[in-house]
Each structure stands twice: as structure tokens, then as C-alpha cells.
């Protein structure tokens, strides 16, 4: 815990800005793609950069594609 006391205030401010920016971008982009925006937004607030990496691998690259049924009504 001693190393946390050594970190300067600008580091914490920068970390908060990065987390909020990442979370906002993930939420907005996932909402456009209809791919669980709340999950990506909340996960983006918790840590950096793993949610962004997984988002690009899973959603943007197409590894996980949702099968949509077409109703014949």
C-alpha cells in the first residue's frame, strides 16, 4: 500500500479521465452495434485496457456474431 501513497495526483486524474473516456466510447459504439452496451460501458469503467482489447476482438472483428432470426410475418 505504500506505493499508492507515492503516486502523484496527476496520475490519478489522468487514470480517471482515461477510464471515463474508454467507458463512454465502448458504450456508444456497442449501442450502435447492438452488442450489450451496458456490459461494455461498466467493464470499461473498471479497468484499462483489457475491455478495449476484448471489445475489438469480440465485437469489432466479428468473432462473436449474433444470429438474428427473420420473422416471416
Amino acid at each position: 500500500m505504500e506505493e499508492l501513497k507515492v503516486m502523484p495526483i496527476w496520475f490519478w486524474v489522468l487514470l480517471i479521465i482515461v477510464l471515463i473516456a474508454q467507458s463512454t466510447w465502448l458504450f456508444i459504439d456497442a449501442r450502435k452495434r447492438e452488442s450489450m452496451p451496458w456490459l461494455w460501458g461498466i467493464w470499461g469503467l473498471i479497468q484499462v485496457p483489457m475491455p478495449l482489447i476484448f471489445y475489438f476482438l469480440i465485437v469489432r472483428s466479428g468473432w462473436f456474431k449474433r444470429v438474428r432470426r427473420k420473422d416471416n410475418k
Side-chain angles (χ1 to χ4, degrees), residues 2 4 6 8 10 18 29 31 47 61 63 69-71:
E2 285 297 318
L4 291 178
V6 177
W10 62 266
V18 168
D29 198 66
R31 188 172 54 180
Q47 62 184 2
S61 71
W63 277 9
R69 297 185 310 173
K70 293 183 180 180
D71 292 335

Side-chain angles (χ1 to χ4, degrees), residues 24-62:
T24 303
W25 185 84
L26 285 171
F27 179 81
I28 291 171
D29 198 66
R31 188 172 54 180
K32 275 193 266 184
R33 298 174 189 282
E34 298 176 357
S35 179
M36 300 179 284
W38 287 102
L39 170 79
W40 293 108
I42 292 172
W43 191 21
L45 279 175
I46 296 172
Q47 62 184 2
V48 70
M50 291 309 288
L52 198 59
I53 292 169
F54 277 103
Y55 183 77
F56 277 111
L57 288 176
I58 294 170
V59 177
R60 298 287 295 244
S61 71

Side-chain angles (χ1 to χ4, degrees), residues 7-18:
M7 302 301 266
I9 190 73
W10 62 266
F11 172 79
W12 296 109
V13 171
L14 181 65
L15 181 64
I16 290 169
I17 291 171
V18 168

